[in-house]
Amino acid sequence: VAAGAAQPEGVQAAEGSAAGCSPTQPPVWPTQFKVVQRKVPASDPSCKKGSCADVVTYYDWERQANLIIQHQDGAKSTLWDLELGNHNSYYISPEPRTCKWMHFDVGILRPNWLEGATFTGVQVILGRQVYAYTKADFIDYYADVTDCTPVRWYFHSMEANFDLISYSAGEIVPDASFFEPPVYCPNRTRLEHDAVAESSADVPESPLVV
C-alpha cells in the first residue's frame, strides 16, 4: 500500500501511535487507549448468522483495568467484560442487571505482552500493509507498518477476527466508574488506582476476550 493511500471505508486513521515496531520488535501498547473493532467469527465471515459484534475496548494499565463492551448483532443487551489487575473479572449485562464473577491468576495484559511473539511476514489487511505476528497458540496480531497501531487481532481459541474501526492512543473511559463493578456483582472489589499488580505470565487464560 503506497504511503498516503486512502483508508478503506469505515476505518478511521489512528490518533496517536503505539511504540515503534519492526519484524524483530513487536508493538508495545500505550498505557491507555480506546479501540473500536468489528468481531467477525471465521464461521460467519459475512455476518449473516448473527454472531458478529461491535466491540469497544478501553485499556488502562495505569488504572489496572481493561473493559470490553460487546454488542452482538441483533442482541437486546450489551455485555461488559471488566478485567482488573487484582485478578477479578466481571461479566456484566447492564440492561437485565446480571453479573458473573470469575477469578484469574493473571491480571490484565502488560503493555509489552507481545514480547517474544514470532514474526510471520508482511501482509495487506483491510487495505493496509501490516507486520504479522503470532504468539503462544493464542493470537495472530497485525500492526500497521507505518505507525504500529493495531489493524486486526485473530484469537485462536475463539476463531474470530477483531477488525479495526478506530483507535485512539491515550483515550480513557468517559467515567472512572466504568472500571468499578456495579453493586449487583458478587465478590465486588474496589480497584486500587495507585497499585500495579505483578504478573508472572505473559498471556492470561482469556485476555481481552468476551
Side-chain angles (χ1 to χ4, degrees):
V1 178
Q7 296 285 5
E9 184 177 355
V11 175
Q12 300 174 13
E15 299 175 12
S17 61
C21 62
S22 70
T24 58
Q25 178 59 56
V28 176
W29 278 358
T31 56
Q32 296 170 317
F33 66 80
K34 173 188 175 183
V35 62
V36 181
Q37 296 166 303
R38 181 67 172 162
K39 177 185 174 183
V40 182
S43 61
D44 189 15
S46 300
C47 296
K48 296 180 178 179
K49 301 177 182 178
S51 57
C52 294
D54 294 323
V55 181
V56 179
T57 298
Y58 291 96
Y59 173 84
D60 197 322
W61 176 253
E62 296 177 18
R63 292 181 175 178
Q64 282 293 285
N66 187 65
L67 174 64
I68 304 128
I69 304 172
Q70 174 174 294
H71 185 79
Q72 189 163 325
D73 292 358
K76 295 181 179 179
S77 63
T78 301
L79 182 62
W80 291 41
D81 174 6
L82 175 61
E83 302 167 352
L84 303 179
N86 59 14
H87 311 292
N88 292 314
S89 288
Y90 301 87
Y91 300 91
I92 306 156
S93 294
E95 291 88 348
R97 292 173 62 87
T98 61
C99 181
K100 178 181 179 180
W101 168 82
M102 292 188 70
H103 177 271
F104 290 102
D105 290 336
V106 179
I108 67 170
L109 292 172
R110 293 174 175 273
N112 66 343
W113 67 275
L114 277 169
E115 189 173 82
T118 300
F119 178 70
T120 59
V122 176
Q123 300 182 29
V124 175
I125 301 289
L126 301 178
R128 300 167 68 178
Q129 193 172 35
V130 300
Y131 291 133
Y133 309 87
T134 189
K135 184 164 186 181
D137 195 25
F138 161 60
I139 192 171
D140 297 334
Y141 191 101
Y142 304 92
D144 191 298
V145 299
T146 62
D147 61 12
C148 301
T149 53
V151 175
R152 169 180 287 170
W153 303 335
Y154 176 82
F155 289 104
H156 296 187
S157 62
M158 299 182 68
E159 298 185 345
N161 287 322
F162 284 70
D163 289 339
L164 179 71
I165 296 175
S166 66
Y167 172 83
S168 180
E171 185 168 348
I172 61 174
V173 288
D175 192 297
S177 65
F178 281 32
F179 286 158
E180 297 182 4
V183 294
Y184 51 85
C185 283
N187 299 301
R188 190 170 178 270
T189 304
R190 180 172 291 276
L191 181 64
E192 294 294 335
H193 294 286
D194 59 351
V196 176
E198 290 300 321
S199 169
S200 59
D202 291 327
V203 181
E205 187 174 338
S206 60
L208 295 175
V209 181
V210 176

